[in-house]
Amino acid sequence: SQTIHQWPATLVQPVGSPLSLECTVEGTSNPNLYWYRQAAGRGLQLLFYSVGIGQISSEVPQNLSASRPQDRQFILSSKKLLLSDSGFYLCAWRDYRDGELFFGEGSRLTVL
Amino acid sequence: AQKVTQAQTEISVVEKEDVTLDCVYETRDTTYYLFWYKQPPSGELVFLIRRNSFDEQNEISGRYSWNFQKSTSSFNFTITASQVVDSAVYFCALSGLQNTPLVFGKGTRLSVIA
């Protein structure tokens, strides 16, 4: 069966520090991968998605970036965090058959 | 552009009451998918249902039911005999074909009071 994991689960970082959130999927090949962000009390905002290795589509211009170095690995990064980057970050995958989106456990980031 | 509107920000009901969560969508696609997800206090999103735009039959799963009305672009979700464990944020979402990303509504926070 397929599983998705992301880490770390919780992160407290100072403004201006770098960020790296990792997500891996197991049990499937060539998944579509997504990063969403949920600000406190708000909906899910799509940040990035990837249909293959090295292929990244950005939905919202900001100081975050994403990379997909391997088929089942998706990384969200920032060189310098802003206060507004605080939120709940969710990684997700979907297969080519337009099925449902499967989410990871989420990473709660607080920027102080 | 695709858009999902969940006009109800918060709903509070007493246990055993029925409750309907509204979802209205906009899309230019003739074929698309609609979804509902549940987000309990733990934060993880739990998939509830996916519906193809060609299938307008209503669906029932235990206490949950979904009413898809293409004519009004709505995909409403009803919980019958609500329970405290139903307390969560519920999201409606929409996607086109070719693995286009899901677009989510802002969610409805449901509180079921014992």
Side-chain angles (χ1 to χ4, degrees):
Chain A
S1 64
Q2 302 89 357
T3 58
I4 178 170
H5 297 289
Q6 61 177 107
W7 67 92
T10 306
L11 204 57
V12 180
Q13 294 284 103
V15 170
S17 64
L19 170 73
S20 180
L21 300 179
E22 285 198 42
C23 172
T24 59
V25 181
E26 297 176 0
T28 186
S29 296
N30 197 30
N32 291 334
L33 297 172
Y34 307 83
W35 278 110
Y36 284 86
R37 178 172 63 195
Q38 184 178 23
R42 301 181 69 175
L44 292 163
Q45 178 188 36
L46 176 66
L47 300 176
F48 302 94
Y49 70 97
S50 170
V51 298
I53 296 175
Q55 300 178 60
I56 308 294
S57 296
S58 173
E59 291 294 304
V60 181
Q62 55 205 328
N63 70 321
L64 299 173
S65 63
S67 62
R68 186 170 177 174
Q70 300 180 43
D71 180 45
R72 289 170 288 179
Q73 184 184 26
F74 205 24
I75 298 172
L76 182 70
S77 304
S78 174
K79 292 182 179 178
K80 288 186 178 182
L81 284 168
L82 306 173
L83 286 174
S84 58
D85 291 323
S86 294
F88 190 52
Y89 289 81
L90 288 151
C91 180
W93 78 273
R94 193 182 188 196
D95 70 24
Y96 68 95
R97 292 166 291 186
D98 289 338
E100 61 265 34
L101 205 59
F102 294 96
F103 286 89
E105 308 94 331
S107 299
R108 193 166 303 279
L109 170 66
T110 302
V111 183
L112 301 174
Chain B
Q2 298 182 329
K3 184 179 178 181
V4 175
T5 301
Q6 294 181 256
Q8 303 151 309
T9 306
E10 293 191 31
I11 300 176
S12 184
V13 299
V14 176
E15 202 171 21
K16 297 184 183 177
E17 285 185 351
D18 298 347
V19 58
T20 296
L21 309 181
D22 298 333
C23 173
V24 174
Y25 62 91
E26 296 176 29
T27 181
R28 294 179 183 175
D29 294 338
T30 53
T31 302
Y32 49 89
Y33 295 96
L34 295 163
F35 305 78
W36 275 95
Y37 282 83
K38 174 182 179 179
Q39 187 179 39
S42 62
E44 191 169 348
L45 273 100
V46 178
F47 166 77
L48 296 178
I49 189 171
R50 178 185 74 144
R51 177 51 52 88
N52 184 304
S53 57
F54 289 119
D55 182 3
E56 287 195 67
Q57 285 192 2
N58 291 334
E59 179 152 345
I60 298 175
S61 176
R63 296 183 298 108
Y64 296 171
S65 63
W66 289 269
N67 184 0
F68 178 26
Q69 296 279 347
K70 216 168 180 179
S71 59
T72 56
S73 297
S74 65
F75 187 43
N76 296 338
F77 173 32
T78 297
I79 301 176
T80 302
S82 60
Q83 301 176 3
V84 172
V85 293
D86 295 327
S87 297
V89 180
Y90 290 86
F91 291 97
C92 181
L94 164 73
S95 82
L97 296 182
Q98 304 289 322
N99 275 299
T100 53
L102 271 68
V103 173
F104 285 82
K106 292 189 182 302
T108 298
R109 181 178 299 278
L110 173 66
S111 298
V112 181
I113 304 166

